[in-house]
Structures are given as C-alpha cells and as structure tokens.
Amino acid sequence: TTAAALERFTINFTITNLPYTSDLENPDSAKFRATRRVMNTLLDRLLQESSIGPVFQGCETRDLRYEPGSHRDETRVDAVCTYSKEPSAAPLDRVGLYHEVSNKTRGIPQLGPYSLDKDSLYVNG
C-alpha cells in the first residue's frame, strides 16, 4: 500500500474585533506569537470536530495582516492546514468543509473570543 500523502489547504478570514497594530506585522513580537498560538488552537479544535477530523494534522497561522481599504480594527488571518490523504481517498471537499466551518462558527460570526466578518471566510482560496 502507498503511504498517505500530506496535503495542505488554506483558510482565510477577517477578525473584526482584533485591531491591527504594527506588533501583528512582526512574527517575532509577543503579540503576534500569542495571537498565532490562539488561532492555531481554535482552528485545530474546529477542524478536529469536522468531517476531516480523522485525517486532520493541524493548522499553522502564517500571516496576520491589514487588508488595504478595510478598517484598522480588523485583522486578516491566513492559515495553512494539513491533513493526510490516502491515495484512494476523494479530493478534499472544499465547499463541504467551508459549510462545516461556517456552521461551526455559527454562520461565521464567532471563533472563540473573536468576531469574524461573515463574508470573509475562504477555504483554499
């Protein structure tokens, strides 16, 4: 049998109650590291309870950024998540996963202590 391959997908969304500051630009800052740790934990918990839970490996927040043209009290989150895909398994159902994440975040407005922009969630682009 062929071993499962690690596959990646991205999750992007905007937090409306995390003001963007220059600390979030710097991956070495305490604020960036603390925010990334919380994001990774919340995303991991969310996806472990989803349909890909059994093969889900984890998420890593890569970027916290300011979206030009948006409010300064909003922060854009870019995360890369990994799962193991068996060669015989169907490709990742991005639409289905999007709907699961949307439902688990109560129609997108909430992820832990964070409020999300309901129109900002993207799974793999």
Side-chain angles (χ1 to χ4, degrees):
T1 58
T2 315
L6 288 181
E7 299 262 328
R8 290 182 173 78
F9 62 94
T10 57
I11 290 188
N12 317 90
F13 52 89
T14 300
I15 299 172
T16 58
N17 64 340
L18 177 64
Y20 187 79
T21 61
S22 57
D23 289 357
L24 293 176
E25 262 176 56
N26 177 3
D28 297 323
S29 76
K31 185 168 185 179
F32 181 95
R33 287 197 309 264
T35 304
R36 179 178 59 198
R37 195 167 39 250
V38 170
M39 276 304 130
N40 292 348
T41 301
L42 291 170
L43 286 169
D44 286 355
R45 200 174 295 152
L46 186 72
L47 291 165
Q48 282 164 347
E49 296 170 4
S50 75
S51 61
I52 69 161
V55 295
F56 177 69
Q57 302 288 316
C59 288
E60 182 64 39
T61 299
R62 295 283 169 92
D63 203 15
L64 300 169
R65 61 189 165 92
Y66 171 69
E67 191 80 10
S70 68
H71 302 290
R72 277 284 178 193
D73 54 356
E74 296 181 346
T75 298
R76 185 88 179 137
V77 177
D78 299 327
V80 176
C81 304
T82 307
Y83 69 101
S84 57
K85 182 181 179 300
E86 294 297 333
S88 59
L92 178 68
D93 177 5
R94 295 180 182 111
V95 173
L97 190 59
Y98 168 87
H99 288 295
E100 277 189 75
V101 171
S102 173
N103 292 339
K104 286 180 185 304
T105 55
R106 296 188 197 94
I108 324 256
Q110 208 65 38
L111 182 62
Y114 299 111
S115 297
L116 308 183
D117 176 335
K118 65 180 180 54
D119 298 321
S120 71
L121 177 66
Y122 292 95
V123 174
N124 239 14

